[in-house]
Amino acid sequence: PNLEGPQGGSYNLSDLDNDVFHPNHAGIEEFEMSVFNIWGEMIFRSSDPMVGWDGYVNGLLAPQNTYAWKATARFSDGRRLTQSGDLTLIIN
């Protein structure tokens, strides 16, 4: 995450930094992504594919740890996709 403070999760697809966890996407009409802490509590949710998780929770930097995520999407061709996994937040 950007250590200067919360950035709101917006990102530029052409940026090569790794400050925001976000989907690689094209043709999404409906989207939802959630991030969960180690206790299974939802700490982030977005329904906008251009807004990802910036590593902050309630304005505070989240602890370095592993977090679970789940994303669902409906594409312009009608396909639906659900994916999940984990991410490691590293504070550098």
Side-chain angles (χ1 to χ4, degrees), residues 32-76:
E32 183 173 305
M33 182 176 74
S34 302
V35 177
F36 305 88
N37 65 19
I38 60 173
W39 298 283
E41 299 166 329
M42 185 186 315
I43 58 170
F44 173 80
R45 181 184 168 285
S46 175
S47 58
D48 182 345
M50 292 303 297
V51 176
W53 185 45
D54 64 2
Y56 285 79
V57 179
N58 298 322
L60 300 173
L61 184 59
Q64 184 166 298
N65 214 326
T66 301
Y67 295 84
W69 62 270
K70 180 178 179 181
T72 59
R74 184 176 59 81
F75 295 89
S76 55

Side-chain angles (χ1 to χ4, degrees), residues 1-10 15 17-21 53-56 59-62 89-92:
N2 186 325
L3 299 180
E4 294 178 7
Q7 306 299 311
S10 296
D15 280 348
D17 64 21
N18 197 18
D19 291 346
V20 176
F21 176 72
W53 185 45
D54 64 2
Y56 285 79
L60 300 173
L61 184 59
L89 182 71
I90 298 172
I91 300 171
N92 212 354

